[in-house]
Amino acid sequence: MRRLHGSSSGNDVLSQVALVLGFMSCVFLIVANVNCSWVKELDDKEMKDVKDAKIFSVKEAQQTFSAVPVIVVVNIAFNLCYNSMNNAFPSQACQMDLRIGKGQLNGAFFNIADAIAIVVVTPIFESCLYPMVARMKGSNVRLGQKIIAGLIIACISNLAAAVLEIYRKQAPALCDAGFSQCAPGYDDGISGTRMRDISAFWIFIPFALVGIAEVLVNPCVLERQFLKLRAGQLVNEMKGNPVGRKSGKRTACLFFATKNGMCSN
């Protein structure tokens, strides 16, 4: 009742403190790794105390840390939009017309549009869109361009959901259709939230847009990180686990062979 009258609870204060601390940690990570000149060569005494210290050179370590700012910024920006798919979109769908036959769908069902979009769009982008754009601009589509395009599409997905929410609120309630079975307050049909007279299948649009954004952002962020490492360096990183000991070299070679020509077999 206190929150309904405008008073803040202890949980609100803790949430705000966590937000501030999280923001500060991200800023410190970004600032510290924009210039990685702080990475220095170990002296002889330190080298003896560190196992396998010569695996990485100073330059290689600097290249690894220099990828942190982009990873942090892109992941925060993308996940601000992506997280809507886990919470806001299903909740929104649960207050739309979920009826199919004599039953109702669950709002989480529409998450399938994200998976379908990834499966359908990935080969289209790789075999058609990227080559076509490359021919038009006279050069290959860069990783940064793909990431920016993905972030824009992720924003559009949330804008599309916002527009749907406006239409949902304007639609009349389906008073003769029973309560939504996945919306808050549902209690065996006795009470709950009324569905609105707008098809829940419209929510496929923002879900699918998030899937397209994933295709553009996630693989490119990973590829950008891997391209900062030499194939041999990646092999050494993989030696730390049982799978890496057997397949690390082969995996690294498959990934880097076309660029570095470093693999023998």
Side-chain angles (χ1 to χ4, degrees), residues 61-75:
Q62 290 174 342
Q63 287 177 336
T64 301
F65 284 112
S66 67
V68 171
V70 173
I71 292 174
V72 172
V73 172
V74 171
N75 275 283

Side-chain angles (χ1 to χ4, degrees), residues 79-175:
N79 282 291
L80 285 173
C81 298
Y82 178 84
N83 286 339
S84 299
M85 187 180 68
N86 298 324
N87 300 300
F89 294 176
S91 298
Q92 185 176 348
C94 284
Q95 300 174 67
M96 301 168 77
D97 188 358
L98 295 161
R99 293 175 299 174
I100 180 167
K102 295 182 179 180
Q104 292 184 20
L105 294 172
N106 190 289
F109 162 79
F110 299 95
N111 203 315
I112 194 173
D114 170 72
I116 292 174
I118 293 173
V119 172
V120 172
V121 165
T122 300
I124 295 176
F125 278 12
E126 292 292 337
S127 61
C128 299
L129 182 62
Y130 294 156
M132 182 181 69
V133 174
R135 288 194 298 269
M136 292 174 61
K137 65 191 290 287
S139 60
N140 292 331
V141 183
R142 299 194 301 273
L143 294 178
Q145 293 172 332
K146 295 177 184 178
I147 292 173
I148 292 173
L151 293 176
I152 292 173
I153 293 175
C155 291
I156 293 174
S157 72
N158 282 248
L159 291 175
V163 171
L164 282 176
E165 181 63 10
I166 293 173
Y167 281 102
R168 186 197 68 80
K169 288 185 175 182
Q170 293 175 347
L174 296 171
C175 297

Side-chain angles (χ1 to χ4, degrees), residues 163-253:
V163 171
L164 282 176
E165 181 63 10
I166 293 173
Y167 281 102
R168 186 197 68 80
K169 288 185 175 182
Q170 293 175 347
L174 296 171
C175 297
D176 59 342
F179 297 104
S180 171
Q181 296 177 8
C182 63
Y186 181 75
D187 184 17
D188 294 330
I190 300 174
S191 62
T193 303
R194 294 289 183 186
M195 295 182 288
R196 298 295 182 121
D197 190 15
I198 177 173
S199 176
F201 283 93
W202 283 106
I203 206 70
F204 268 156
I205 295 174
F207 271 114
L209 288 172
V210 172
I212 295 172
E214 286 183 76
V215 172
L216 290 165
V217 173
N218 291 342
C220 295
V221 172
L222 291 174
E223 184 178 358
R224 188 181 185 279
Q225 171 65 10
F226 279 123
L227 290 176
K228 284 183 172 290
L229 307 174
R230 293 186 298 106
Q233 184 177 346
L234 183 59
V235 170
N236 288 324
E237 287 182 344
M238 290 181 175
K239 287 180 179 178
N241 61 77
V243 176
R245 294 190 193 102
K246 294 183 178 180
S247 61
K249 182 177 180 180
R250 181 172 299 176
T251 304
C253 288

Side-chain angles (χ1 to χ4, degrees), residues 16-32 72 76:
Q16 296 298 325
V17 172
L19 175 63
V20 172
L21 292 176
F23 175 78
M24 291 174 60
S25 66
C26 291
V27 171
F28 292 153
L29 269 175
I30 294 169
V31 172
V72 172
I76 290 176

